[in-house]
Amino acid sequence: MEKSGKIVVRGIVQGVGFRPFVYATARKYGIRGWVKNLGSEVEICAKGDHFFEFLEAIRPGPPLSRIDSISVNPSDCAAAGDFTILPSGKGTLSGMIPPDVSICGDCLDDITCPGGRYQGYWATSCVNCGPRYSIINELPYDRERTSMAVFPVCPDCDSEYHDPASRRHHAQTIACPVCGPGISLLDQQGNHVECCDVIRETAMLLDNGSIVAIRGVGGFHIACIEESAGDLKRRLGRTEQPFAVMVKPDYIGRMTRLSAAERMILESIEHPIVVLEKRDPTAHPDISNLHTLGCMLPYTGLHHLLFSYLHHPLLIMTSANMPGYPMITDIDRIMAKLNRDVDFFLNHNRRIVNRCDDSVVRDGYIIRLSRGMAPRRTQVELGSPCILAVGPELNSNISIYKDGFCITSPHIGNVRNPGTFDYLKETVEKLGTLLGAEFDVIAHDAHPQFLSTRFARELAKETGAELVPVQHHRAHVASSTDQPCIGITIDGVGYGDDGSVWGGEVFAGRTPDFERVAHLEVLPMPGGDLAATYPERMLYGILPEQAVVEVLASRGWTAVELDILEGQLEKGINVAQTSSTGRVLDAVSALLGICREKTYDGEPAMKLESSAISGRPHVWDLEYLTDGPSEVLSTRTLCKRALLEYSLARKDRASDISDIAASFQYNMARGIAGLAIHAARDRGLELVTLSGGVAYNRAIRETLADEIRKAGLTFGINADYPLGDGCISYGQCLSAGKKG
Ligand SMILES: [Zn+2]
Ligand SMILES: [Zn+2]
C-alpha cells in the first residue's frame, strides 16, 4: 500500500548535493513527489509503496552532509507523475554551508581525461567537491546567491546539471572552459602575458625562478621554487619565519618523517598544511630553519595542473598577506601591495566572497582552523539565547551559538591591526546573516582595551544584548572539556583577574566556574612588550645577576644599555608582571643564544624546541612556592639551573646547548604537571586537561601527559579545536552559555 509524508532534513544539507542525492534515491524506490531547499533545510514530499525504504536510504545523506535531524509528518502529498527538484523557498536559517573542500578524485580524472570537455580546466568541480563557503553570499545555496552567478551555464553544462545520472546533477558550481571562470597571467605592470596555456606558462616561469602570486580558493598565495626562497625572504622582509610548501605527493616522504596518520590528514578532504618533522633537521634552511616543515598537497584543479607541468618537486606557497592580517582577495589590491615583491600574477575571475587561509595541523592538533575545517559546527546544548563570542586579540576567530549548535568562523588574525579588526566585524555580519542570528548575549575577552572588547560593547549597545566578559585562560579550559576538571593552560599572554599578564595557569572547577589554584612564578617583564620582542630583557628580568650581565655584555650590550635595564627593573618603570609560560621559554632561548629577537609569534620558544629535538633531558630539582592559597612553580629556579648548566657548557658544542634546552622543557613540564596533580588530589578530581599554544610543543605536551597518567589521573586535550587562541571564541561561547 502507498504511504506518503513530508520529510524535513536539518543540518549541513546545502552545498553537499543533497537534492540530487534525494532525487536519485527517490527514482530508485519508485517514489513520486518533490524535494526543495527551504532556508537552510531540505524539505521532501514523498509518496510511494516503498516510502519507508526510501526514508531509510536517505538517512545517511551524501558524503559532505551532516544530518542533525530528520522529521517526518504523515500527510497526503498530492504527488503525481515523477519526482522533481523544485526551486528553493525561504525558510528558517539554522544549518550551515560546508567549508570549501579539495577537488575529488573523479573531477581530477575529468581534468586529465584526454578529449573530455573538462580536460585541463582548472575550476572543475562537482556536488562532492570544490569551493563552498568562500563563494556564498547567502542561503539557500543556489548559484544565483554565489559568486558563480555571473557565469551563466552553457548548453552542455546545463544538460549535465539536469541529468539525474550525473555527478553534477544540480551542482551549483558546475562550470567548464566554455562558460566558467577564466584565468589569466599578468606581469608586474598588469599586462596580460600572451601564451596558449597560462598554467603551463606559469609552471615554466616558476621553474625558472620567478615569484608568482597565485589566486586560490580563499585568497592569494605567493609561490616560488625552493631555489628562490632566499630571494622571496629578502623581498618580503621575512627573514626568519618558515614558509609553507606545496609538495608533489610522492616527494613528501623523502623530505619528512610522516606517519600513516599524518598522511591521512594530508590527503583528507580538508587538505590542510601539516607540520611534519624533517628527515634531516638542518635540511631546507631557506624554507624553514626549524626542525619542521609545513607541507600540503595540491588541493584544487589549478594546483594539480600546475604541478603536472612543474619540474620542481615543491613550491613555497605562503599567504600573500602579512602574518596576522587578513587574506587579500582582489587583484587590484594585491597588485598595489606586491608589485615589486612578485614578478607575475596568476589571476582568476571568480570572486572570493569569504576569505579563508589554509588550515594548519600538527601532530593531529589544529593550529589554524580555516579552509576545509571552518565554519566548524559543534552540537552543544546552551539553551535558547543566541550568543556571539568575539574571540581574543591574537589568532582570533568568532563563534556564534544558535539552536543547539556552536559555529566557529575561519581564522581571522590579529585584531590589533585595523584591517583585521574590520575583517572581524565583516565576519560577524556575514556569519550572522548566514545563520539568521540575532544576538541575545555577546561574550568577549576580559581585557578592557582590546578592540574586540570595544566592538562587543558597541554592538551590545546597538542590539541590547547582554555582555559577558570571559577571562582568556578560563575560555581555554572551557574549550577543553565540559566535565569537572583541573585545567592547565600554558601560553603567551592573557589578561588576568588581577590585571597582570597570565599564561601559566592551573584551574579547578567546571565551565564557567574555574578557580585559579596554581600558576607559574610571577616574573617581571622589563619594558613590557619589549621583553617579548627582545627576550634577553626577559632573561635579565628573571635573573638580574652578574652572570647574566656578563652574557649580555659578551653579546654586545653596552654598559649604558645594561644600566638603563637595571634602573628600569629596580624602579619598576614600565615593568609588567607575568606568569606566562611562553616568556620563560623565550628567556631560556635567549640565554642559550638560540633566539635573541622575536620576528614572528612564538619564534624564540619554537627555536628552543627545535634545538631540544637532538638533546637529552636530565632531571633537575623542582622548587614549589606558595602565593596565598595557590601553589607556584618556581621558574626562576629552573632558569638559574639553566644558567649554571650554560656556564659549564662548551659553547662550540651544539649538543650541550641542545641538552640544556631539552632539560629545561622537560623539567618545566614536569613541574607544571606537579601543580596539576597536587590540585587534582586536593580536590578529588580525576580529569586534567591541557590547552594553550605552548601545548603544540610535542616534548612539553607528552611529558605533561605522561606525568599526569603516571599519577593515575586522566589526561584530556581537545583535538577538535585549536590548542592555541583559535579555541578562545568557542570557549567564550560555552562559558557565556553556561553562566547562571
Ligand atoms: Zn568533484
Ligand atoms: Zn559550461
Side-chain angles (χ1 to χ4, degrees):
M1 201 189 120
E2 283 207 325
K3 288 270 185 302
S4 84
K6 190 171 267 184
I7 304 162
V8 175
V9 189
R10 295 188 183 89
I12 298 181
V13 290
Q14 296 199 10
V16 296
F18 210 93
R19 289 171 295 174
F21 164 76
V22 171
Y23 178 93
T25 313
R27 296 286 286 244
K28 185 171 165 196
Y29 290 96
I31 297 291
R32 307 191 305 283
W34 47 258
V35 57
K36 69 176 178 187
N37 278 342
L38 201 62
S40 58
E41 305 167 350
V42 165
E43 195 178 51
I44 303 160
C45 184
K47 186 171 191 169
D49 288 336
H50 301 286
F51 180 84
F52 290 108
E53 288 97 321
F54 166 71
L55 191 58
E56 280 317 299
I58 62 169
R59 260 181 212 288
L64 297 182
S65 67
R66 293 283 175 280
I67 295 174
D68 302 331
S69 70
I70 297 185
S71 64
V72 188
N73 282 313
S75 74
D76 189 27
C77 287
D82 261 354
F83 196 87
T84 51
I85 297 180
L86 295 182
S88 299
K90 285 225 179 291
T92 60
L93 298 178
S94 69
M96 206 2 80
I97 200 73
D100 305 285
V101 290
S102 58
I103 187 167
C104 73
D106 292 329
C107 284
L108 211 47
D109 288 345
D110 286 342
I111 289 179
T112 47
C113 170
R117 69 187 198 93
Y118 295 103
Q119 188 190 0
Y121 186 52
W122 65 278
T124 303
S125 70
C126 71
V127 294
N128 298 321
C129 75
R132 293 290 187 277
Y133 177 72
S134 66
I135 59 165
I136 190 157
N137 287 302
E138 56 178 336
L139 290 170
Y141 173 67
D142 286 304
R143 195 177 180 100
E144 70 252 35
R145 282 176 285 274
T146 71
S147 52
M148 293 300 288
V150 296
F151 304 103
V153 289
C154 69
D156 282 345
C157 282
D158 191 58
S159 71
E160 211 177 330
Y161 182 88
H162 288 104
D163 174 8
S166 164
R167 213 170 71 251
R168 298 190 179 87
H169 185 208
H170 276 254
Q172 305 303 324
T173 53
I174 190 171
C176 74
V178 176
C179 65
I183 197 159
S184 55
L185 183 62
L186 309 171
D187 66 14
Q188 274 188 335
Q189 285 71 44
N191 302 314
H192 281 263
V193 175
E194 293 307 326
C195 57
C196 57
D197 184 336
V198 162
I199 298 174
R200 189 191 289 263
E201 182 74 15
T202 305
M204 200 192 73
L205 291 166
L206 286 163
D207 270 328
N208 290 337
S210 292
I211 296 173
V212 184
I214 299 177
R215 186 181 193 134
V217 175
F220 279 86
H221 285 113
I222 302 177
C224 68
I225 53 171
E226 184 170 5
E227 289 79 351
S228 301
D231 187 18
L232 178 61
K233 280 185 173 177
R234 277 189 297 280
R235 293 199 207 181
L236 298 180
R238 270 173 58 181
T239 52
E240 293 297 314
Q241 187 161 23
F243 290 127
V245 288
M246 187 173 276
V247 189
K248 287 188 176 171
D250 53 348
Y251 193 74
I252 261 184
R254 284 202 242 162
M255 302 168 71
T256 63
R257 298 171 204 283
L258 83 163
S259 64
E262 284 167 330
R263 187 171 280 283
M264 267 179 66
I265 299 172
L266 276 169
E267 293 172 354
S268 65
I269 56 167
E270 292 92 357
H271 269 55
I273 294 170
V274 181
V275 178
L276 299 168
E277 218 166 274
K278 288 178 192 167
R279 283 201 172 272
D280 169 4
T282 59
H284 311 287
D286 283 344
I287 301 174
S288 162
N289 50 19
L290 302 175
H291 68 291
T292 53
L293 274 182
C295 300
M296 61 183 148
L297 295 172
Y299 59 81
T300 67
L302 175 58
H303 298 150
H304 281 279
L305 287 164
L306 196 59
F307 271 80
S308 72
Y309 300 126
L310 194 77
H311 295 298
H312 285 76
L314 68 84
L315 285 177
I316 283 150
M317 287 285 256
T318 188
S319 293
N321 49 298
M322 287 293 287
Y325 282 75
M327 292 288 274
I328 301 172
T329 55
D330 72 77
I331 185 69
D332 295 336
R333 279 198 52 211
I334 196 107
M335 292 196 69
K337 203 160 177 60
L338 291 180
N339 70 353
R340 267 186 286 285
D341 298 333
V342 305
D343 304 311
F344 295 93
F345 298 86
L346 181 60
N347 188 36
H348 64 70
N349 59 355
R350 187 181 66 210
R351 193 166 71 86
I352 298 167
V353 179
N354 302 303
R355 60 194 113 193
C356 240
D357 289 75
D358 292 312
S359 290
V360 184
V361 175
R362 182 179 175 193
D363 294 343
Y365 299 105
I366 301 164
I367 294 180
R368 193 198 288 146
L369 185 73
S370 212
R371 177 188 51 75
M373 297 187 159
R376 170 138 298 199
R377 186 165 171 276
T378 301
Q379 190 159 18
V380 51
E381 198 36 71
L382 299 175
S384 56
C386 174
I387 305 167
L388 167 68
V390 296
E393 186 168 59
L394 304 177
N395 290 310
S396 189
N397 55 25
I398 63 147
S399 291
I400 295 175
Y401 170 81
K402 193 185 168 216
D403 300 334
F405 289 90
C406 185
I407 315 279
T408 301
S409 76
H411 170 78
I412 289 173
N414 295 349
V415 182
R416 239 175 242 178
N417 316 319
T420 318
F421 179 55
D422 290 343
Y423 178 35
L424 172 93
K425 292 194 275 190
E426 181 191 316
T427 307
V428 170
E429 172 80 36
K430 283 186 173 169
L431 206 57
T433 306
L434 280 175
L435 289 164
E438 283 174 26
F439 309 123
D440 303 304
V441 175
I442 301 175
H444 61 89
D445 194 272
H447 198 303
Q449 304 302 338
F450 279 180
L451 288 178
S452 56
T453 301
R454 282 193 238 167
F455 168 61
R457 279 199 218 111
E458 283 161 23
L459 193 60
K461 204 182 269 177
E462 244 171 66
T463 58
E466 180 196 351
L467 277 174
V468 179
V470 181
Q471 196 276 325
H472 185 92
H473 300 98
R474 290 187 178 89
H476 266 295
V477 186
S479 80
S480 68
T481 180
D482 62 354
Q483 295 303 304
C485 71
I486 295 294
I488 303 171
T489 60
I490 42 176
D491 67 359
V493 282
Y495 186 79
D497 293 350
D498 53 7
S500 74
V501 183
W502 287 9
E505 316 304 317
V506 178
F507 295 88
R510 183 176 193 172
T511 311
D513 299 311
F514 291 113
E515 183 195 351
R516 185 199 196 205
V517 295
H519 56 86
L520 297 192
E521 189 169 8
V522 177
L523 300 166
M525 287 175 77
D529 282 346
L530 263 190
T533 308
Y534 299 100
E536 283 172 343
R537 300 181 71 96
M538 191 69 211
L539 171 65
Y540 181 78
I542 300 172
L543 299 172
E545 49 191 76
Q546 191 51 33
V548 169
V549 168
E550 279 165 22
V551 170
L552 299 191
S554 76
R555 291 178 188 166
W557 280 66
T558 64
V560 176
E561 287 172 323
L562 286 163
D563 272 354
I564 294 173
L565 186 60
E566 190 187 345
Q568 193 173 32
L569 191 63
E570 259 171 26
K571 300 192 187 97
I573 305 162
N574 190 21
V575 176
Q577 299 294 323
T578 186
S579 54
S580 161
T581 316
R583 290 301 85 79
V584 177
L585 292 167
D586 290 357
V588 175
S589 185
L591 166 69
L592 300 180
I594 294 166
C595 180
R596 300 178 55 202
E597 183 188 344
K598 181 192 80 166
T599 63
Y600 63 90
D601 255 8
E603 178 181 0
M606 284 158 81
K607 288 185 168 170
L608 183 75
E609 181 189 4
S610 282
S611 165
I613 283 298
S614 46
R616 284 161 311 165
H618 300 279
V619 176
W620 294 352
D621 288 340
L622 300 173
E623 188 184 0
Y624 290 103
L625 314 167
T626 54
D627 170 18
S630 297
E631 190 176 30
V632 173
L633 172 69
S634 174
T635 40
R636 183 173 274 135
T637 302
L638 286 170
C639 289
K640 237 187 164 82
R641 176 66 185 264
L643 177 64
L644 173 71
E645 299 285 337
Y646 181 70
S647 70
L648 302 172
R650 294 156 295 180
K651 306 294 182 294
D652 55 329
R653 292 285 291 271
S655 62
D656 284 15
I657 298 296
S658 294
D659 285 356
I660 303 171
S663 300
F664 188 86
Q665 291 187 158
Y666 172 68
N667 290 291
M668 193 182 68
R670 231 167 36 89
I672 296 169
L675 293 175
I677 292 163
H678 304 157
R681 287 194 179 136
D682 285 353
R683 288 162 183 79
L685 288 164
E686 267 296 301
L687 173 66
V688 179
T689 69
L690 177 64
S691 186
V694 175
Y696 292 121
N697 179 312
R698 190 189 288 175
I700 292 178
R701 183 182 65 244
E702 289 182 350
T703 302
L704 271 162
D706 280 354
E707 296 287 317
I708 285 158
R709 292 195 183 107
K710 271 196 292 188
L713 301 166
T714 306
F715 176 75
I717 190 162
N718 191 342
D720 295 329
Y721 282 82
L723 302 176
D725 286 359
C727 72
I728 293 293
S729 71
Y730 176 61
Q732 287 173 343
C733 206
L734 299 176
S735 301
K738 292 188 176 172
K739 182 175 156 276

